[in-house]
């Protein structure tokens, strides 16, 4: 059988999973590729470090030129995180004639334009299915399978770590920091988990998907974003009491004025598909004008789900499928935007507010009057009895539809009341 030599650069969580699939399931990959996918080299920084996979002798090297100078290695999975040296290594691989697979969304969201242009100039291809939603084939689905559609809406849970943390907090009341540590141990989190919990990772993925789905050109940092680090266990409990779950949602909605984009924790009514996505699972709900709503669900982080997407990309490159579409698809092209991004300030939503207030007569009335002054109607209120001698009580308000700027202004005004002892929090609510 014909043999395609492949290599891996970076042998962390994902790299080890890719090596396992190639080494332990060669029959499977050969059947789908119509050739043996032969793991020739694995490049690491430190060849002495213990790795989570047994490699055949002679495969491990700390010298990238063992890959770049070997013309028989055609496909390389570049699985190191961060921007540098990931960017330089990617360029070096492309210059040396390799087709490259990456799972690094931070790199694509920051330098996608440069890398894709260079690949096109060199006649090379980049495959990046694993960069968004781990094992879910969302890149191929949006850029190829749904190409007959005008996509009008995209809503997703795109960060496995955040969803894992919020699920753990909800199920067991575990502390935020403990859940972050657990997500790191399980291999879900980025090397610096700040990007996971502050919404940056989800914004990078939303920027990539929206580029493909809508043809917008937006830098991920310009997407309004809020992370799960603003959520307290109390919010998860109150959401539950009102029939909702907290989820970090990434949304892109086409409107008459352009594309509204946002990453933020939101309350979603229990029973809705996105509300029931648990643990490190991801999900994406896409609406196309011909197909209607399509829902994708699967493991969005973790070693083997991510390796599943990387190896499929390696096979597609080895057989030449990716090369057929890479040049023609509008992937990270510098072409003019088809759709402009519009401010999301005037987007209507219901809101959840939680305030910590003095337990005095008239406090609830003051708040109701401020909300009313901003034309925000109250849908429901929760105020439990004061616990013990505590001088303050939490007050939770759920509103009817209101616009973003009115909700922000009302929150600021309420926070200035002398009876409000801690800054209130505000989250969007979606049915
Ligand atoms: P990781 O466990 O931190 O592994 C990264 C590996 O890259 C480490 O083994 C590191 O080496 C290696 N490395 C760094 N610089 C290198 C260099 N100059 N030469 C060779 N190796 C180098 O990260 P990961 O979780 O596997 O993630 C890899 C990429 O996949 C990231 O971009 C991440 O965002 C993306 N991703 C991860 C997941 C997931 O669930 N983990 C899911 C989807 C996408 P040392 O071992 O020597 O430190
Ligand atoms: N850290 C990322 C997450 C990995 O938790 O979703 C998958 O991209």
């Amino acid at each position: 059988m014909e043999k395609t030599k492949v290599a891996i650069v970076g042998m962390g969580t994902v790299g080890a999973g890719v090596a396992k699939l190639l080494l332990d399931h060669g029959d499977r990959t050969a059947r789908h590729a119509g050739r043996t996918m032969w793991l020739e080299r694995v490049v690491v920084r430190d060849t002495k470090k213990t790795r989570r996979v047994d490699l055949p002798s002679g495969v491990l090297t700390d010298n990238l030129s063992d890959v770049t100078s070997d013309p028989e290695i055609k496909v390389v999975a570049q699985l190191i995180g961060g921007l540098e040296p990931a960017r330089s290594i990617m360029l070096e691989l492309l210059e040396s004639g390799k087709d490259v697979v990456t799972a690094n969304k931070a790199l694509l969201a920051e330098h996608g334009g440069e890398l894709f242009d260079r690949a096109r100039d060199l006649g090379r291809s980049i495959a990046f299915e694993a960069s968004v939603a781990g094992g879910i084939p969302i890149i191929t689905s949006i850029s190829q399978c749904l190409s007959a559609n005008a996509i009008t809406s995209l809503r997703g849970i795109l960060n496995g770590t955040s969803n894992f943390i919020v699920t753990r907090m909800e199920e067991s009341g575990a502390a935020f920091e403990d859940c972050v540590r657990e997500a790191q141990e399980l291999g879900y989190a980025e090397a610096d988990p700040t990007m996971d919990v502050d919404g940056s990772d989800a914004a990078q993925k939303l920027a990539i998907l929206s580029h493909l789905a809508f043809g917008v050109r937006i830098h991920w940092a310009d997407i309004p974003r809020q992370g799960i680090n603003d959520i307290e266990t109390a919010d998860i409990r109150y959401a539950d009491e009102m029939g909702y779950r907290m989820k970090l949602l990434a949304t892109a909605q086409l409107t008459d004025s352009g594309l509204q984009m946002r990453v933020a924790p939101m309350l979603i009514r229990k029973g809705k598909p996105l509300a029931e996505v648990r643990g490190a699972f991801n999900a994406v709900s896409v609406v196309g004008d011909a197909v209607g709503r399509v829902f994708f669900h699967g493991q969005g982080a973790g070693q083997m789900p991510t390796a599943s997407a990387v190896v499929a990309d390696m096979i597609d490159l080895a057989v030449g499928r990716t090369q057929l579409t890479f040049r023609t698809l509008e992937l990270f092209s510098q072409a003019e935007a088809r759709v402009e991004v519009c401010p999301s300030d005037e987007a209507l939503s219901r809101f959840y507010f939680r305030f910590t207030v003095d337990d005095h007569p008239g406090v609830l009335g003051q708040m109701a009057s401020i909300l009313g002054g901003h034309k925000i109607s109250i849908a429901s209120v929760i105020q439990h009895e004061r616990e013990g001698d505590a001088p303050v009580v939490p007050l939770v308000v759920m509103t009817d539809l209101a616009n973003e700027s009115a909700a922000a202004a009302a929150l600021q005004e309420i926070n200035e009341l002398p009876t409000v002892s801690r800054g209130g929090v505000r989250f969007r609510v979606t049915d």
Side-chain angles (χ1 to χ4, degrees), residues 39-265:
L39 183 56
E40 181 75 4
R41 287 289 186 182
V42 172
V43 184
V44 294
R45 275 189 294 207
D46 176 3
T47 53
K48 303 271 180 311
K49 190 170 165 182
T50 311
R51 303 285 159 185
R52 285 188 277 176
V53 60
D54 287 330
L55 296 172
S57 69
V59 167
L60 206 60
T61 174
D62 57 7
N63 191 351
L64 184 67
S65 69
D66 285 340
V67 170
T68 52
S69 65
D70 183 342
E72 287 189 25
I73 298 177
K74 304 288 184 202
V75 175
V76 181
Q78 201 268 65
L79 299 169
I80 65 181
L83 299 183
E84 282 296 352
R87 172 184 156 276
S88 311
I89 290 176
M90 185 100 162
L91 287 169
E92 216 176 318
L93 291 168
L94 293 168
E95 310 276 352
S96 67
K98 316 299 177 198
D99 289 322
V100 184
V101 178
T102 181
N104 188 335
K105 61 272 154 165
L107 179 64
L108 294 183
E110 203 63 53
H111 298 298
E114 176 198 12
L115 294 169
F116 277 65
D117 280 352
R118 192 69 194 123
R120 283 189 200 96
D121 289 350
L122 292 163
R124 304 269 51 97
S125 300
I126 299 171
F128 56 106
E129 184 60 71
S131 65
V132 180
I136 304 176
I138 190 66
I139 301 280
T140 310
S141 298
I142 286 184
S143 53
Q144 296 179 46
C145 310
L146 296 176
S147 53
N149 289 266
I151 293 175
T152 53
S153 160
L154 197 154
R155 283 153 57 91
I157 292 173
L158 298 179
N159 184 261
T161 301
S162 295
N163 205 55
F164 172 83
I165 293 170
V166 173
T167 306
R168 296 281 292 132
M169 287 168 75
E170 185 182 327
E171 284 172 352
S172 66
F176 184 84
E177 289 71 23
D178 293 341
C179 299
V180 175
R181 213 169 307 117
E182 209 180 329
Q184 285 178 296
E185 284 161 13
L186 290 165
Y188 302 148
E190 297 302 306
D192 175 3
T194 313
M195 304 286 276
D196 291 299
V197 299
D198 75 0
S200 300
D201 177 84
Q204 288 167 344
K205 292 166 177 168
L206 182 64
I208 293 173
L209 290 186
S210 300
H211 190 117
L212 301 175
F214 303 100
V216 288
R217 309 281 177 259
I218 186 168
H219 188 269
W220 67 269
D222 294 328
I223 298 174
R225 71 185 186 286
Q226 183 185 7
I228 60 161
N229 34 7
D230 286 342
I231 302 176
E232 292 183 23
T233 317
D235 298 311
I236 294 175
R237 241 185 11 246
Y238 288 120
D240 181 58
E241 193 174 331
M242 292 183 290
Y244 293 83
R245 295 192 202 286
M246 277 285 201
K247 294 286 167 198
L248 182 71
L249 275 197
T251 60
Q253 180 67 46
L254 201 56
T255 69
D256 289 343
S257 352
L259 191 69
Q260 287 176 343
M261 302 177 77
R262 175 184 309 280
V263 171

